[in-house]
Amino acid sequence: MSSFFSYLITGISLGSIYALIALGYTMVYGIAKMLNFAHGDVIMIGGYIVFTAVSTLGWSSGLGIFGAIFCGILGCLLLGVLVEKVAYKPLRNAPSLAVLITAIGVSYLLQNIALLIFGSNPKNFSSVVMFDGFSIGKVRISGETVVTIAVSVLIMIGLTLFVNHTKSGMAMLAVSEDKGAAQLMGVNVNRTISLTFAIGSALAGVASILLCSTYPLLSPYTGAMPGIKAFTAAVFGGIGSIPGAMIGGVILGVIESLSKAYISSQFSDAIVFGVLIIVLLVKPTGIMGKKLNEKV
Amino acid sequence: MKKALSISRKAGDRYITYLLLIVIFVGVQSFLNSGAASRSFKGLLIPTCAYILAAMALNLVVGVSGELSLGQAGFMCVGAFVGSLFSLLTEATIANPLIRFPLALLLGGVVAGIFGFLIGIPVLRLRGDYLAIVTLAFGEIIKTIFNNLYIASDDTGLRIAFSVDAFNEKPLAGNATYYIKGAQGINGTPQDSTFAICMIVLLIAAVIMLNFMDSKQGRAVMAARDNRIAAEAMGVNVTRAKMTAFVMSAFFGGVAGVLYSHNLNSLIATKFDYNLSILILVFVVLGGMNKMRGVMISTTVLYILPEVLRALKDYRMLIYAIVLIVMMLLTNSKSVRAFAEKVTGALKPKKKNQTGGAE
């Protein structure tokens, strides 16, 4: 029984990371109606920034760690905004296929730049969590798990407050509801979209630090798999819905952890994607998604 | 009168493609017969044909129906493993490769097509970009499955397992052969793929696909791509039309996999990864979506070029990524196109004004 609980907690911790990544997908999808394939690779770049700061520059103690974390998040934020400005903004009115292909191109570009700079050998990421964790009975909870869950909960509360109670947050809701009407009401649509990319990418930066601290192998392909799974989580929770992304992420993390433990470790990815296909068959709008009627 | 004229022009366009294939076939084949062809040239021929077929098949989804599929490598993987397994199992009973290989091609294609159908059911009735992510997931699932699949035969018959443990617990008895051995893949596939067979398959595929694009069903798919609501209002069953194109694409993806696998002595499942799907997508995008002949040419050039210019190899994927982004910006963004025209306009004399409309 105690092993079940430890798998469950691992799952929740992994799921919180998925939820943070899924928030980026879902917010961008809600506002720009595009699937940002490069989101997963922003995570990978964030990981490399922190790795460089900690291991190469030696910012490994006290204030240095915070500096590294800050640089990682800021780097992801700037990268996200830059990608949006260069690659996605010119395609605002293009067919979705063109935007998708561009996003794949960006994702591929980031991967290959990382491959050329850092090489294909995985790097050993040293955890930035300075906290040892504790045990409840026989269940051991690591510091990374505690920090991951705590940080995710804080961010989710903060984000919910921001979206529902600040002017910029409400502008985001308005743009996702109806871009044209929002513009008529005086909302600066371009700035709102940039803000969404900035927030989503900063969350990806946080997720990258948590992910690499828990699973310390960093390679140019680190971001791809969690990115796809987080997208699955976003669809599961209902794409476009912020609480949906959080719930979907946690459920998906638990499913993955439990299937790894009790079914097969090789097939856990296949099971997660199987869940995606079942969700699309049964309830394509996801758990929290709304069905939108199409206007002609 | 005008309609008849435009149809005959389209048919003429088709015949140019067929003629091109036949000319290339005759040219390359006589070059091969002359004995002057180098080893590396011969080695490139069959993979190039397989990739051309896979790219043409992907074009049915990306170019013709306007959906994004990132699982073409998955369909190739299904075709390759099913076809190779069939050839290995029937090598003794059907000795003539000219009978065995077409059956393998057909079987690999049909199984891949069935997978395409199964994926299409949940996805193609939805609006939005779900096909991209589901086909991506499908490619990963297929890769995982074939990477962990063990098929062997012994005195008790054929044995299938998803872990080598099953064979350790109950060892293979007597005269045992492994057909698929997990991560080591499939070995000893008979080398049935020849350049002539590949070209014949390509020609048949081109006839089927180009006729499909010109048929009622094909026009329905293109109508749905250009304006889904208008097409539905005209009575087009969009889901069915897209499904036809998608299953056909999966079928030919599988056939391409069979062509590919019967050229290699050993084949591992990880060869058919996400990168390969992207590579095929680059072939389609650069060839001009919706243009079969363009896809053939771009595949040939993009596949052979890095093999010839070894120095480019490290930067190949980086260049492809930039190609994808730049192509999309150039073809879809007014501001970027205007900028590009300003740059090229300074160098080149002004081009003749384009006439509006499709065609």
Side-chain angles (χ1 to χ4, degrees), chain A residues 90 98 102 108 231 281 284 294, chain B residues 125-127 133 275 328 332-333:
Chain A
T102 313
Y108 229 67
F231 176 78
L281 254 179
E294 200 169 349
Chain B
R125 63 200 175 98
L126 304 174
R127 279 144 217 236
I133 209 86
N275 285 358
M328 282 302 119
N332 286 293
S333 166

Side-chain angles (χ1 to χ4, degrees), chain B residues 30-274:
Chain B
S30 51
F31 181 56
L32 285 178
N33 290 345
S34 73
S38 70
R39 230 184 128 78
S40 62
F41 177 78
K42 281 185 204 161
L44 283 175
L45 283 176
I46 293 166
T48 311
C49 290
Y51 284 130
I52 289 177
L53 185 58
M56 280 164 68
L58 185 66
N59 195 13
L60 283 178
V61 178
V62 177
V64 177
S65 41
E67 297 272 345
L68 185 57
S69 164
L70 297 175
Q72 199 63 2
F75 293 121
M76 282 180 80
C77 185
V78 171
F81 274 81
V82 169
S84 286
L85 189 63
F86 174 80
S87 295
L88 275 175
L89 289 175
T90 57
E91 209 174 355
T93 41
I94 312 174
N96 187 352
L98 288 179
I99 301 170
R100 186 177 65 220
F101 192 47
L103 286 175
L105 285 170
L106 207 60
L107 187 72
V110 166
V111 175
I114 291 171
F115 274 100
F117 182 69
L118 291 177
I119 294 171
I121 295 171
V123 180
L124 288 174
R125 63 200 175 98
L126 304 174
R127 279 144 217 236
D129 308 324
Y130 292 104
L131 190 67
I133 209 86
V134 171
T135 45
L136 202 172
F138 163 75
E140 292 297 320
I141 293 176
I142 286 296
K143 198 181 75 186
T144 317
I145 289 177
F146 281 112
N147 211 21
N148 291 293
L149 181 66
Y150 291 82
I151 296 182
S153 74
D154 62 0
D155 291 351
T156 57
L158 204 61
R159 288 178 57 186
I160 302 170
F162 280 109
S163 155
V164 77
D165 300 343
F167 293 145
N168 292 338
E169 276 164 27
K170 186 168 162 274
L172 295 168
N175 198 0
T177 342
Y178 272 105
Y179 294 115
I180 300 180
K181 204 173 181 184
Q184 291 172 32
I186 194 160
N187 285 300
T189 310
Q191 312 277 298
D192 291 341
S193 245
T194 61
F195 178 64
I197 292 178
C198 283
M199 287 309 280
I200 293 167
V201 171
L202 262 185
L203 192 63
I204 295 172
V207 169
I208 295 175
M209 288 185 211
L210 289 171
N211 273 297
F212 168 75
M213 284 164 70
D214 224 5
S215 69
K216 186 183 168 194
Q217 202 56 243
R219 284 195 296 269
V221 179
M222 287 187 250
R225 170 198 67 193
D226 293 337
N227 191 334
R228 182 174 181 137
I229 295 166
E232 272 176 345
M234 291 295 140
V236 170
N237 184 341
V238 172
T239 308
R240 212 184 109 191
K242 288 199 167 173
M243 185 68 106
T244 316
F246 186 63
V247 170
M248 195 183 275
S249 160
F251 174 84
F252 283 115
V255 172
V258 182
L259 287 180
Y260 189 83
S261 75
H262 284 70
N263 179 42
L264 296 170
N265 193 31
S266 83
L267 183 70
I268 52 172
T270 41
K271 168 79 194 147
F272 298 102
D273 58 358
Y274 179 58

Side-chain angles (χ1 to χ4, degrees), chain B residues 347-359:
Chain B
L347 303 170
K348 277 185 207 163
K350 208 175 177 198
K351 262 200 299 184
K352 193 176 70 180
N353 270 346
Q354 268 193 327
T355 46
E359 180 84 66

Side-chain angles (χ1 to χ4, degrees), chain A residues 50 53-66 68 126-128 130:
Chain A
V50 177
V54 172
S55 302
T56 316
L57 303 178
W59 297 359
S60 52
S61 62
L63 213 59
I65 288 275
F66 285 100
S126 52
S127 172
V128 296
M130 295 287 142

